[in-house]
């Protein structure tokens, strides 16, 4: 195969690509050759391939229509490997690389023969609102028939089956001027701002900057072609320190205070990407001024048969010719309502393509254009319309109704549509500017933005290059300079809505990606959809991945006409970020896997790892869950740990407990405000259990607080609660009690906390302690003292979360492991064990000690939790005092915390299980509470649970029921203290 | 993402450093016990939800840790002013001037 025959539509001498740099790729398994610099679409077109996909609903054959991001039809699956397979890639913008594997979508078994095309025959059934009308009854059909059908039919393409192996990075940037769009306007603005020494970022979604300068063969700027001027300007900008030029970078979201999000695609165009490069990079740019130079998008024409492969936008045909050197066909027709159709036709004519005829919808066309057509010998019909097209997998003919009503047939293998240009208002609207309707030119233009941004060039409705440059220079405060410009292209004219006959025999598509026709829009209006937002949702017009870049204006015009309203009265639907589809990967960035959240470890963590502990995550902490010995399972390990603590002793890493140092002359008074019980009268050297409420009276946190002196408290909080407790305290200290002399410091990570619990606890630690007498007499339960342990400054608590004699040794974190090992060296020979969080939970539950957040849920008061003893009655004020007196909180029948014993002692309840009074009642049963904590207690030889139950305190001894899917479990209501109710063990 | 001026740090900092802390200038009465149920409800539960200017509290939680007050426009999200906790509530006239 010779090169020329492999790319039969590549035109010699046209375009800017080098013929020598060929690239091999496959499409649907077949090998093709393209050129470096091609898009996938231009390479396929060079090979004469127009059929690139099947439409979503009717499975109609579709080709590529545009040369940009607005492409609705040519969506491909691009595969590198199983994990790197990207659906819905627009062939019009995907750069070709060597070895690319592209597959068409939405067809079976093949693109040219697709079984789903039968939908097209059934199309009368698939009208607007099809889903709402069809999937209504019978109700049973939902599960088995309708939902599976909709799920299979919904969405295009297939997701990769493996986790994304690529990296995505994230950068913040600041600049004086951010310019979005590197066409003529954007480049001139960048050049001007850069010359003024401003810091500039300019981005463009394409690999090459220049915008439509790359498609326009006639323009000359200072004697250079448009493409050359763009390339030279980019080189100039890249050489400057104050400018950052970002290609393949889409400004996709405009947020508050001139913060714009950019998505840079780093490797998607490379054959063999460097593994050190991220696939994409998200830029969050904060700019003093934003210059939007998004350009405009050409509209298609709405007429019957406007979707056949080979029917393309005129500007796209021009881009493929003048940038890629590719002709869209041998014999083309042109259907125009805008002057740009002529420019495209003339360019193709000059490249040797036969132009069958220009069909102009308008009656009045400039003499100059008609003269040029005449010179080229091109037939022009004004005030004429295309009424239908023919061809199955590619257009082969068009039928025209001329101004005098005659019908003419033309053979064509491609058809160019020039429906006029829609200024891109996406980012302007996202900046909260309201689009402003311009009656003279029948289009929306950017309105005034509340932010410091300005629209220039095509997106502001300009086409004349002189005016565009002047506007760009002015936008960044530059001085007008003399630039030699030759530019005779006019974008005058345009049409929105249906052109030609109102009623069509065939389908006149408005939205190609969602297969919405002009008839669908009309039907929606007739069926009562009078708001454009309703029309959009009922017909799905503009709701596909292209977000209606081609279709929205047409849909709006058709609906407005039928409603008898003007276009601005009906109004546009809202533009939202992202401008084009953006990968989740780029939003996630590095925040995944082990980098998703910090992983907090205690100073004793590595010791537990060495001992073979199993870990569980508790908030961000990794905590030792249990320490299995030999081939013990969790159940037997926990049983052993619990019973060892009760019989001998256990050592437990409690370092994750939240710790806050409350210091200052008013520390006690502040504690009186923050906790429900009193702290002023507590003696230094004593500790107390405290409950913290919110103002509404519900439990917020709890913990033991040691009073080290009259001005210093060592506060402990729940493991996950430390940050919010500190925030809560700071809030009151700073804003309600700002006159109090108190300082709060988080000390969670400064102290390692080693709990030694069990009858032998004192014997274990006593020889290690110096500077304190820890006898029962001198150091009773709930005491605290500053002393030394292993020679290290320590805060020693006599405290118990197990019901046994217990101590908690706090030492500076850096000594944590050394002190732990010293304790362990004494503990192990005495028959003690190390225990984990699961045993800790069982031991505390056997004693009825609650865990805030597990046994309480933000609707439980201290009284509900049977903790009235910890609520001061005489204190004049504390946070939550008034809330606790609210009528609902003092009413009878509140859910109260009780214990549950299962009738079958071996049956362990499920936490969260619901509780009912009468298991025989009809479903839905009245649920009167639920299980909050439930464990197997090896010590007691039975299952134990805690639960909140309506009026629970009055139900002691009564039977209740826990219905489960396979059985109903009978339980007896008890107190919450299952073990050593008199508390004698606390003293060893 | 918003930029918020911290009146303590005297710098514009990104929203990520701050946490929202509800409506501003709600005074916790010194005599909480004396509140009727209706007064407690009004004080603790009922909040403004205006379209336009709102006075609200923020905390520079990932910065200096201080609570501050802000005048924000709920439509544009624009911060018209921030000031230290404890400073007086801006008058209607102050707000009108800020809107100019």
């Amino acid at each position: 195969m010779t090169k020329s025959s492999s790319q039969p539509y590549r035109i010699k001498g046209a375009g800017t690509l080098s013929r020598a740099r060929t690239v091999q790729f496959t499409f649907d398994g077949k090998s093709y050759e393209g050129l470096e610099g091609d898009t996938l679409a231009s390479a396929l077109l060079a090979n004469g391939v127009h059929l690139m996909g099947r439409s979503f609903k009717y499975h109609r054959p579709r080709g590529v229509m545009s040369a940009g991001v607005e492409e609705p039809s040519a969506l491909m699956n691009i595969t590198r490997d199983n994990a790197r397979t990207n659906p819905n890639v627009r062939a019009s913008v995907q750069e070709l690389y060597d070895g690319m594997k592209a597959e068409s979508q939405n067809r079976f078994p093949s693109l040219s023969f697709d079984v789903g095309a039968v939908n097209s025959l059934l199309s009368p059934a698939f009208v607007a609102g099809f889903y709402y009308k069809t999937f209504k009854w019978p109700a049973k059909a939902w599960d088995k028939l309708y939902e599976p059908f909709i799920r299979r039919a919904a969405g295009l393409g297939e997701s990769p089956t493996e986790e994304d192996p690529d990296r995505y990075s994230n950068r913040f940037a600041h600049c004086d001027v951010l310019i979005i769009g590197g066409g003529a306007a954007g480049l001139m603005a960048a050049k001007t701002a850069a010359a003024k020494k401003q810091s500039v970022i300019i981005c463009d979604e394409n690999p090459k900057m220049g915008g439509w300068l790359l498609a326009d063969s006639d323009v000359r700027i200072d004697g250079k072609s448009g493409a050359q001027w763009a390339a030279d300007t980019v080189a100039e900008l890249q050489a400057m320190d104050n400018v950052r030029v970002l290609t393949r970078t889409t400004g996709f979201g405009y947020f508050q205070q001139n913060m714009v999000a950019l998505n840079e695609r780093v490797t998607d165009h490379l054959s063999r990407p460097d593994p050190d490069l991220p696939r994409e990079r998200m830029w969050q740019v904060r700019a003093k001024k934003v210059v939007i130079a998004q350009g405009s998008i050409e509209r298609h024409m709405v007429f019957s048969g406007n979707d056949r492969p080979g029917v393309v936008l005129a500007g796209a045909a021009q881009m493929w010719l003048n940038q890629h050197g590719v002709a869209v066909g041998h014999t083309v027709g042109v259907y125009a309502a805008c002057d740009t159709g002529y420019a495209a036709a003339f360019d193709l004519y000059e490249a040797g393509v036969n132009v069958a005829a220009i069909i102009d919808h308008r009656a009045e066309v400039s003499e100059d254009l008609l003269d040029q057509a005449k010179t080229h010998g091109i037939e022009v019909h004004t005030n004429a319309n295309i009424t239908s097209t023919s061809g199955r997998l590619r257009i082969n003919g068009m039928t025209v109704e001329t101004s005098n009503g005659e019908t003419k047939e033309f053979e064509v293998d491609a058809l160019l549509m020039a429906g006029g240009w829609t200024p891109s208002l996406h980012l302007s609207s996202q900046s909260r500017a309201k689009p402003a309707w311009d009656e003279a030119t029948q289009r929306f233009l950017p309105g005034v933005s509340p932010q410091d941004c300005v629209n220039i060039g095509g997106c502001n409705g300009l086409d004349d290059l002189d005016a565009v440059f002047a506007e760009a220079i002015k936008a960044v405060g530059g001085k007008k300079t003399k630039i030699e410009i030759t530019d005779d292209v006019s974008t005058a004219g345009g049409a929105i809505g249906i052109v030609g006959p109102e009623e069509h025999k065939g389908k006149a598509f408005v939205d190609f990606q969602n297969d919405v026709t002009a008839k669908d829009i009309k039907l929606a209006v007739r069926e009562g959809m009078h708001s454009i937002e309703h029309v959009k949702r009922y017909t799905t017009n503009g709701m596909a991945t292209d977000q209606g870049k081609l279709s929205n204006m047409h849909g709006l015009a058709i609906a407005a006409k039928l409603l008898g309203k003007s276009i601005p009265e009906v109004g546009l639907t809202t533009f939202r970020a992202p401008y084009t589809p953006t990968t989740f990967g780029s939003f996630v960035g590095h925040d995944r896997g082990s980098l998703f959240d910090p992983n907090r470890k205690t100073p004793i963590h590595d010791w537990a790892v060495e001992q073979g502990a199993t870990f569980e995550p508790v908030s961000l902490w990794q905590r030792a869950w249990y320490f299995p010995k030999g081939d013990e399972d969790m159940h037997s390990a926990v049983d052993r740990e619990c019973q060892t603590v009760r019989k001998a002793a256990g050592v437990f890493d409690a370092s994750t407990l939240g710790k806050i140092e409350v210091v200052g002359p008013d520390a006690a008074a502040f504690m009186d405000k923050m906790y429900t019980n009193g702290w002023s009268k507590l003696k230094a050297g004593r500790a107390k259990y405290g409950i913290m409420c919110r103002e509404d009276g519900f439990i917020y946190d709890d913990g033991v607080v040691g009073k080290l002196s009259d001005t210093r408290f060592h506060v402990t909080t729940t493991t996950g609660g430390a940050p919010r407790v500190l925030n809560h305290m700071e809030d009151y200290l700073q804003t309600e009690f700002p006159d109090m002399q108190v300082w709060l410091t988080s000390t969670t990570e400064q102290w390692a906390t080693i709990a030694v619990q069990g009858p032998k606890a004192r014997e274990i630690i006593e020889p290690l302690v110096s500077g304190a007498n820890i006898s029962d007499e001198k150091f009773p339960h709930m005491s605290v003292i500053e002393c030394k342990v292993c020679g290290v400054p320590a805060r020693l608590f006599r405290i118990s979360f197990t019901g046994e004699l217990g101590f908690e040794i706090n030492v500076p974190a850096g000594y944590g492991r050394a002190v732990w090992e010293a304790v362990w060296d004494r503990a192990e020979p005495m028959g003690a064990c190390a225990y984990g969080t699961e045993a800790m939970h069982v031991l505390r539950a056997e004693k009825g000690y609650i865990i805030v957040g597990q046994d309480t849920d933000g609707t439980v008061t201290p009284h509900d939790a049977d903790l009235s003893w910890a609520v001061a009655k005489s204190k004049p004020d504390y946070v939550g005092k008034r809330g606790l007196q609210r009528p609902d909180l003092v009413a009878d029948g509140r859910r109260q915390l009780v214990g549950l014993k299962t009738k079958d002692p071996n049956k362990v309840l499920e936490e969260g299980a619901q509780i009912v009074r009468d298991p025989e009642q009809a479903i839905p049963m009245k649920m009167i509470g639920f299980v909050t904590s439930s464990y197997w207690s090896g010590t007691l030889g039975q299952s134990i649970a805690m639960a909140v139950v309506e009026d629970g305190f009055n139900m002691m001894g009564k039977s209740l029921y826990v219905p489960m899917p396979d059985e109903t479990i009978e339980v007896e209501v008890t107190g919450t203290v299952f073990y050593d109710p008199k508390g004698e063990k606390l003293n060893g | 993402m918003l930029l918020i001026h911290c009146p303590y740090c005297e710098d514009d900092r990104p929203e990520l450093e701050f946490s929202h802390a509800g409506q501003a200038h709600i005074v916790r009465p010194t005599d909480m016990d004396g509140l009727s149920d209706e007064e407690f409800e009004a004080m603790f539960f009922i909040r403004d939800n205006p379209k336009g200017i709102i006075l609200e509290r923020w905390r520079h939680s990932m910065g200096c840790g201080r609570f501050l007050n802000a005048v924000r426009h709920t439509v544009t999200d624009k911060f018209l002013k921030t000031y230290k906790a404890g400073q007086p509530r801006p008058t209607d006239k102050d707000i009108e001037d800020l809107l100019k």
Side-chain angles (χ1 to χ4, degrees):
Chain A
M1 202 189 285
T2 66
K3 270 177 190 169
S4 59
S5 71
S6 78
Q7 298 183 49
Y9 288 83
R10 194 76 71 177
I11 306 286
K12 236 184 193 160
T16 58
L17 310 188
S18 163
R19 302 296 296 259
R21 316 189 83 160
T22 58
V23 169
Q24 307 298 321
F25 70 104
T26 67
F27 172 57
D28 282 349
K30 201 174 160 196
S31 297
Y32 293 96
E33 186 184 84
L35 297 180
E36 215 170 83
D38 259 328
T39 61
L40 176 54
S42 70
L44 284 169
L45 293 175
N47 288 282
V49 177
H50 269 269
L51 177 61
M52 296 191 194
R54 287 274 175 171
S55 76
F56 175 48
K57 198 157 75 174
Y58 301 128
H59 291 248
R60 284 170 69 106
R62 290 280 165 81
V64 68
M65 185 159 278
S66 74
V69 295
E70 67 272 30
E71 177 58 35
S73 299
L75 304 180
M76 305 276 181
N77 203 70
I78 309 287
T79 305
R80 286 188 198 268
D81 53 47
N82 282 350
R84 293 180 178 88
T85 160
N86 282 326
N88 298 337
V89 174
R90 290 151 300 181
S92 55
V93 291
Q94 172 64 51
E95 291 171 67
L96 197 66
Y97 56 76
D98 199 42
M100 174 182 282
K101 281 187 206 142
E103 299 260 350
S104 59
Q105 299 182 158
N106 210 32
R107 75 328 189 235
F108 175 84
S110 76
L111 192 52
S112 53
F113 178 74
D114 173 21
V115 172
V118 70
N119 281 6
S120 202
L121 302 175
L122 299 174
S123 62
F126 291 123
V127 291
F130 162 67
Y131 291 116
Y132 306 107
K133 290 166 183 164
T134 309
F135 301 118
K136 285 198 297 199
W137 54 264
K140 275 185 187 158
W142 255 109
D143 289 358
K144 302 218 157 36
L145 197 60
Y146 295 155
E147 200 182 316
F149 172 79
I150 292 172
R151 284 200 185 283
R152 193 160 42 84
L156 285 164
E158 277 173 35
S159 322
T161 51
E162 288 172 26
E163 192 180 319
D164 189 345
D166 285 320
R167 279 194 314 117
Y168 297 82
S169 85
N170 192 327
R171 288 188 69 170
F172 290 90
H174 298 260
C175 61
D176 293 324
V177 187
L178 168 67
I179 297 156
I180 305 161
L187 286 173
M188 182 51 80
K191 197 176 153 133
T192 311
K196 289 175 65 188
K197 303 285 175 226
Q198 293 190 303
S199 63
V200 176
I201 297 177
I202 177 168
C203 69
D204 192 284
E205 60 193 355
N206 297 299
K208 245 192 212 173
M209 293 209 175
W212 283 103
L213 291 175
L214 306 175
D216 190 330
S217 59
D218 296 328
V219 67
R220 289 287 175 281
I221 304 167
D222 286 337
K224 299 172 189 170
S225 71
Q228 191 59 49
W229 180 84
D232 291 352
T233 306
V234 168
E236 211 177 289
L237 292 171
Q238 276 168 334
M240 299 174 88
D241 291 339
N242 55 329
V243 182
R244 187 188 288 280
V245 179
L246 296 168
T247 53
R248 302 185 178 93
T249 304
T250 307
F252 69 85
Y254 199 132
F255 305 96
Q256 293 101 337
Q257 288 167 298
N258 272 357
M259 158 115 161
V260 181
L262 317 177
N263 172 255
E264 181 186 8
R265 294 164 295 283
V266 182
T267 63
D268 270 1
H269 63 290
L270 299 172
S271 181
R272 273 167 290 277
D274 180 345
D276 288 341
L277 285 176
R279 180 178 169 221
E280 293 182 6
R281 190 176 287 130
M282 173 83 85
W283 292 80
Q284 295 176 70
V285 180
R286 180 85 64 180
K288 284 188 187 140
K289 184 177 200 89
V290 175
V291 176
I292 305 175
Q294 276 197 291
S296 52
I297 292 175
E298 192 171 20
R299 286 189 302 278
H300 65 283
M301 306 275 282
V302 181
F303 62 98
S304 183
N306 61 351
D307 71 325
R308 290 187 204 284
V311 182
V312 303
L313 296 171
Q318 218 176 348
M319 180 67 93
W320 290 318
L321 180 67
N322 293 326
Q323 192 183 354
H324 306 104
V326 174
V328 290
H330 291 308
T331 306
V332 304
V334 179
Y335 191 13
C338 170
D339 289 354
T340 48
Y342 291 78
F346 298 158
D347 280 2
L348 283 164
Y349 170 83
E350 280 158 14
V353 174
N354 181 29
V355 180
I358 298 176
I359 312 303
D360 201 316
H361 169 66
R362 298 168 297 177
E364 303 285 328
V365 182
S366 95
E367 284 302 322
D368 177 45
L369 290 175
L370 294 177
D371 286 348
Q372 284 187 58
K374 206 169 187 181
T375 318
H376 295 324
I378 298 173
E379 192 178 332
V380 178
H381 293 274
T382 56
N383 199 14
N385 288 298
I386 295 178
T387 52
S388 66
T389 63
S390 56
R392 194 172 77 86
L393 299 178
R394 174 147 178 200
I395 188 169
N396 60 20
M398 59 181 190
T399 306
V400 175
E401 193 180 78
T402 63
S403 55
N404 54 18
E406 270 179 62
T407 300
K408 290 193 84 167
E409 308 269 350
F410 295 88
E411 276 186 21
V412 293
D413 61 357
L415 174 57
L416 277 47
M417 300 179 288
W421 298 77
T422 307
S424 288
L425 304 184
H426 299 75
L427 292 176
S428 161
S429 297
Q430 285 182 31
S431 83
R432 299 196 175 177
K434 280 217 168 75
W437 177 250
D438 185 52
E439 186 62 32
T441 56
Q442 292 285 298
R443 57 188 177 176
F444 284 104
L445 293 173
V448 179
S449 172
Q451 308 207 37
D452 192 356
C453 75
V454 58
N455 289 268
I456 60 170
C459 65
N460 199 31
L462 295 190
D463 59 358
D464 177 66
L465 206 46
D466 263 322
V468 167
F469 279 168
E471 188 179 59
I473 292 165
K474 190 176 156 223
V476 291
K479 284 198 193 92
K480 207 177 171 200
T481 49
K482 175 115 186 71
I483 308 159
E484 287 292 335
I485 296 170
T486 322
D487 166 35
D488 62 355
V489 173
S490 153
T491 60
I496 4 176
I498 302 166
V499 285
E502 259 312 304
E503 295 305 323
H504 301 275
K505 277 201 187 125
K507 289 187 171 64
F509 284 93
V510 174
D511 187 310
F512 296 94
Q513 206 179 335
N514 270 350
D515 271 350
V516 179
T517 65
K519 273 183 194 160
D520 292 327
I521 307 270
K522 289 181 179 177
L523 185 66
V525 173
R526 279 206 306 276
E527 291 188 351
M529 308 298 149
H530 290 178
S531 144
I532 194 66
E533 299 283 358
H534 288 155
V535 172
K536 169 179 168 173
R537 281 155 187 80
Y538 197 61
T539 60
T540 71
N541 190 50
M543 289 172 68
T545 58
D546 63 347
Q547 288 287 289
K549 291 185 177 62
L550 296 179
S551 62
N552 280 348
M553 283 306 294
H554 286 314
L556 169 55
I558 296 167
K561 192 170 178 187
L562 211 61
L563 288 165
K565 287 183 180 171
S566 70
I567 286 175
E569 274 179 308
V570 176
L572 275 172
T573 54
T574 312
F575 292 96
R576 295 185 202 282
Y579 170 61
T580 49
T582 307
T583 62
F584 283 115
S586 70
F587 286 99
V588 170
H590 294 296
D591 300 338
R592 54 191 269 197
S594 61
L595 296 178
F596 181 67
D597 251 343
N599 202 3
R600 302 178 78 181
K601 292 173 183 171
T602 75
I604 297 146
H605 182 89
D606 290 344
W607 184 89
V609 172
E610 287 157 26
Q611 297 290 314
T614 304
F615 289 83
E616 69 164 337
V618 179
S619 65
L620 298 177
W621 291 98
Q622 289 298 316
R623 300 195 73 180
W625 199 8
Y626 55 95
F627 292 82
K629 277 191 176 169
D631 49 9
E632 270 183 337
D633 61 5
M634 175 168 167
H635 182 81
S636 29
V638 171
D639 257 9
R640 173 182 51 74
E641 287 172 18
C642 288
Q643 293 184 48
T644 308
V645 172
R646 297 256 183 252
K647 280 180 197 141
V651 192
F652 176 69
D653 180 6
S655 305
T656 65
L657 271 182
K659 294 173 266 302
I660 298 168
E661 192 92 341
V662 179
V663 184
D666 298 318
F670 179 69
M671 290 295 291
D672 279 343
K673 292 279 193 192
M674 300 313 297
Y675 284 85
T676 58
N677 37 7
W679 301 90
S680 301
K681 287 177 197 152
L682 187 70
K683 282 195 186 121
R686 296 292 292 167
K688 197 150 116 174
Y689 172 73
I691 301 173
M692 172 179 274
C693 282
R694 297 185 309 211
E695 205 70 79
D696 56 9
F698 295 125
I699 296 178
Y700 192 60
D701 202 75
D702 71 346
V704 169
V705 178
K707 187 169 182 177
L708 298 163
S709 75
D710 288 343
T711 58
R712 184 177 292 268
F713 290 84
H714 178 112
V715 173
T716 67
T717 75
T718 51
T719 290
R724 65 183 157 83
V725 170
L726 184 60
N727 185 67
H728 181 80
M729 287 181 167
E730 283 284 0
D731 193 348
Y732 278 93
L733 181 60
Q734 289 184 33
T735 67
E736 299 297 349
F737 316 122
D739 296 333
M740 282 190 172
Q741 296 281 299
V742 179
W743 291 267
L744 305 171
T745 310
S746 163
T747 54
T748 301
E749 294 191 343
Q750 277 61 43
W751 295 109
T753 306
I754 302 160
V756 186
Q757 304 270 312
K760 294 185 178 171
R762 184 180 289 111
E763 203 184 332
I764 292 170
I765 69 160
E766 203 154 27
L768 306 176
V769 176
S770 52
N773 179 341
I774 62 166
S775 65
D776 193 43
E777 194 177 283
K778 296 281 182 192
F779 198 59
H781 183 55
M782 298 308 261
S783 297
V784 59
I785 191 165
E786 288 180 287
C787 59
K788 284 192 171 172
V789 176
C790 305
V792 174
R795 286 182 182 171
L796 182 64
F797 282 77
R798 167 91 188 270
I799 188 180
S800 176
F801 200 45
T802 57
E804 303 295 332
L805 166 68
F807 297 89
E808 282 183 9
I809 307 164
N810 291 276
V811 290
Y815 294 105
R817 175 150 182 185
V819 174
W820 172 279
E821 284 182 10
V823 171
W824 179 245
D825 283 347
R826 280 196 52 77
E828 194 187 17
M830 293 169 67
C833 68
Y835 66 100
T837 51
E838 189 63 22
M840 176 271 282
H841 273 266
V842 177
L843 293 164
R844 66 93 199 171
E846 286 171 346
K847 284 293 293 179
Y849 298 143
I850 64 161
I851 290 188
V852 170
Q854 175 163 346
D855 301 298
T856 70
D857 64 358
T859 66
V860 176
T861 69
H863 303 301
D864 297 338
D866 205 8
L867 296 169
S868 301
W869 57 268
V871 178
K873 289 181 188 63
S874 55
K875 231 173 22 169
D877 183 28
Y878 58 85
V879 174
K881 187 181 187 206
R882 176 62 187 82
L884 278 169
Q885 298 159 32
R886 292 188 290 144
D888 279 357
L889 269 57
V890 297
D892 288 337
R894 287 189 58 79
R895 287 189 172 179
Q896 292 159 334
L897 192 74
V898 295
L900 298 180
K901 279 184 183 168
T902 48
K903 279 277 148 78
D904 171 357
N906 291 313
K907 188 73 74 184
V908 180
L909 295 169
E910 222 170 271
E911 287 175 356
Q914 296 289 328
I915 298 163
V916 302
R917 211 182 298 264
D918 169 16
E920 304 300 328
Q921 64 184 301
I923 293 171
M925 298 188 188
K926 179 172 164 40
M927 295 173 289
I928 59 167
F930 58 90
V931 178
T932 61
S933 291
S934 174
Y935 306 94
W936 168 256
S937 164
T939 305
L940 301 169
Q942 69 171 90
S943 106
I944 55 167
M946 286 195 264
V948 286
V949 174
E950 268 173 35
D951 206 23
F953 297 158
N954 290 324
M955 287 209 193
M956 293 299 150
K958 287 192 180 148
S959 277
L960 294 174
Y961 300 87
V962 179
M964 298 302 291
D966 49 350
E967 62 180 331
T968 295
I969 302 167
E970 187 179 354
V971 297
E972 185 197 328
V973 180
T974 69
T976 52
V977 186
F978 298 92
Y979 174 78
D980 183 29
K982 287 185 184 156
E984 288 157 343
K985 305 268 185 189
L986 286 169
N987 298 319
Chain B
M1 187 165 55
L2 299 165
L3 280 181
I4 300 174
H5 183 83
C6 175
Y8 303 97
C9 300
E10 298 181 348
D11 196 11
D12 290 340
R13 308 297 306 166
E15 184 188 338
L16 290 176
E17 294 181 7
F18 295 81
S19 40
H20 189 259
Q23 194 174 331
H25 298 291
I26 293 169
V27 180
R28 185 179 187 272
T30 44
D31 176 25
M32 287 286 282
D33 267 355
L35 292 187
S36 68
D37 285 339
E38 289 71 26
E39 286 165 335
F40 181 80
E41 181 195 26
M43 191 277 293
F44 186 71
F45 292 106
I46 307 299
R47 292 293 180 267
D48 294 339
N49 185 20
K51 181 177 182 178
I53 296 297
I54 191 161
L55 304 182
E56 60 191 9
R57 307 187 318 137
W58 287 76
R59 185 182 181 207
H60 194 187
S61 39
M62 298 293 162
C64 63
R66 304 297 301 272
F67 282 82
L68 54 121
N69 291 331
V71 182
R72 185 173 63 92
H73 198 287
T74 58
V75 177
T76 62
D77 272 345
K78 200 169 173 184
F79 279 78
L80 301 175
K81 182 188 173 154
T82 56
Y83 52 102
K84 292 176 182 174
Q87 287 183 351
R89 178 196 182 96
T91 62
D92 290 351
K93 167 119 190 6
D94 293 339
I95 291 169
E96 248 172 63
D97 291 344
L98 288 171
L99 282 168
K100 274 177 198 161

